[in-house]
Amino acid sequence: MVQGIIIPADNTAPLKTATLDSREDYQRAVEGWMEAVDIADLGVTMYVHEEGLVLGLPFNSRATFLWWYYVPAARQKAMLVGPALVAGLPDRNGDSTDIPRDTAGLLSQPGKWRVEARPKAEPDWTQIPGTYDDYFEALVWAMVTLERWHDAEDVRVAPVRPGIATMPIRASDAADLEHPPAV
């Protein structure tokens, strides 16, 4: 029995926990034949519908941005569609394992997140204005920052912890991603 999390394509739908006993459970979770996408840095494999693009399944922004964030080679080259199932990486025998507890918490527990960028040839990280109540929303903004701020060499999503100052941003503030403020 493997424990996993289903990321629905509808980004307003909550994540769902899943108990997987058989190949049919995986296929039911992704609504068809499955294709595996490994995210080694998180210790997970994401399963999606193998023919999802051909069938016109809806874009899964949460699964795609999670993949792009942790697998830079996939950025802007492919997208994930339909529901995605996240389970642990396969063991030595090729059998799926449970989603790691810390990864399950990262994806499903509430929290406050911020985006930081490291400018090219700079050792320090710059905090990008704004905080996010959802890890997936922070991932999206991390990828947007990397795409739009040409001086950014890398981005990261960091938890906002008590006692760490953050720079609030309001809808009326004009965010300049070409020249973000140094913090």
Side-chain angles (χ1 to χ4, degrees):
M1 202 164 29
V2 172
Q3 299 299 314
I5 291 178
I6 298 171
I7 304 173
D10 176 356
N11 67 359
T12 64
L15 303 182
K16 299 181 249 177
T17 59
T19 301
L20 310 150
D21 291 320
S22 66
R23 176 183 299 266
E24 290 78 20
D25 291 336
Y26 287 79
Q27 290 174 331
R28 194 172 10 269
V30 301
E31 299 175 1
W33 294 105
M34 61 190 171
E35 178 177 357
V37 177
D38 288 339
I39 305 176
D41 287 350
L42 276 180
V44 301
T45 298
M46 205 163 16
Y47 297 91
V48 294
H49 194 300
E50 184 177 62
E51 297 178 328
L53 287 170
V54 173
L55 296 172
L57 295 182
F59 175 60
N60 189 324
S61 62
R62 293 182 289 187
T64 298
F65 282 104
L66 180 67
W67 183 38
W68 286 357
Y69 181 76
Y70 286 100
V71 183
R75 292 179 186 160
Q76 302 296 325
K77 294 185 176 123
M79 63 182 195
L80 303 176
V81 297
L85 169 66
V86 183
L89 286 170
D91 62 18
R92 275 187 263 195
N93 298 322
D95 297 325
S96 290
T97 60
D98 291 345
I99 184 172
R101 189 175 323 192
D102 55 340
T103 301
L106 178 71
L107 300 182
S108 63
Q109 297 300 312
K112 199 110 173 122
W113 305 94
R114 69 173 185 261
V115 174
E116 297 174 347
R118 190 176 67 231
K120 293 176 182 163
E122 295 286 333
D124 297 325
W125 291 88
T126 298
Q127 182 179 319
I128 303 303
T131 59
Y132 308 94
D133 294 327
D134 179 84
Y135 183 70
F136 292 102
E137 184 180 5
L139 290 177
V140 169
W141 285 105
M143 294 292 88
V144 168
T145 299
L146 192 58
E147 177 74 19
R148 301 288 300 153
W149 185 25
H150 301 291
D151 288 335
E153 182 174 12
D154 199 6
V155 292
R156 67 183 181 190
V157 173
V160 174
R161 304 225 191 271
I164 296 177
T166 60
M167 294 180 55
I169 188 168
R170 296 173 304 278
S172 61
D173 292 341
D176 181 358
L177 293 179
E178 296 294 323
H179 305 53
V183 177

